[in-house]
């Protein structure tokens, strides 16, 4: 019989810091959960692009917004603003930034294993 597993994002396996943000990671049974905390003024193209070394974010995301507001701009010009309670699937090829003066806190289950990593 398979055993249930759990970990807490409050005691992450790894924390990655970048300009105006941080990412807390846990991996449970091969699934990596990431909690991002993005401060006002955070923008992927300023804060993470120098680490990723790609023109846009190539990580696909399946995420849930806990607090704050996040604007996503796809390379094909589609844009969307996400807020508390929103769940979204975001394909690779986008930029994103915090809207307003409240930090964005989100949980992602598909795009964070290599996000903002120098590995």
């Amino acid at each position: 019989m398979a055993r249930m597993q759990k970990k807490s994002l409050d005691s992450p396996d790894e924390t990655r810091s970048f300009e105006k943000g941080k990412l807390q990671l846990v991996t449970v049974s091969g699934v990596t959960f990431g909690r991002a905390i993005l401060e006002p003024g955070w923008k992927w193209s300023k804060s993470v692009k120098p680490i990723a070394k790609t023109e846009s974010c190539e990580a696909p995301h399946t995420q849930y917004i806990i607090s704050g507001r996040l604007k996503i701009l796809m390379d094909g010009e589609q844009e969307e603003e996400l807020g508390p309670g929103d769940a979204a699937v975001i394909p690779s090829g986008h930029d994103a930034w915090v809207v307003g003066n409240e930090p964005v806190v989100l949980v992602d289950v598909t795009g964070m294993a290599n996000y903002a990593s120098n590995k």
Side-chain angles (χ1 to χ4, degrees), residues 18-94:
F18 41 85
E19 183 181 340
K20 296 189 182 278
K22 70 178 176 180
L23 176 62
Q24 298 163 312
L25 299 160
V26 295
T27 300
V28 182
S29 193
V31 177
T32 299
F33 293 79
R35 177 171 56 195
I37 301 161
L38 310 172
E39 299 297 329
W42 177 88
K43 186 172 185 177
W44 183 89
S45 54
K46 292 179 184 174
S47 301
V48 182
K49 181 178 181 175
I51 299 166
K53 296 179 176 54
T54 57
E55 281 306 306
S56 57
C57 180
E58 297 301 321
H61 301 286
T62 304
Q63 53 189 219
Y64 176 77
I65 307 296
I66 297 168
S67 62
R69 301 204 64 79
L70 186 67
K71 183 80 158 206
I72 311 292
L73 175 63
M74 298 300 300
D75 290 348
E77 301 300 319
Q78 177 190 5
E79 60 182 77
E80 193 68 58
E81 188 170 311
L82 307 176
D86 287 339
V89 175
I90 304 161
S92 62
H94 58 270

Side-chain angles (χ1 to χ4, degrees), residues 14 16 38 60 97:
E14 180 181 359
R16 296 180 192 151
L38 310 172
W97 58 92

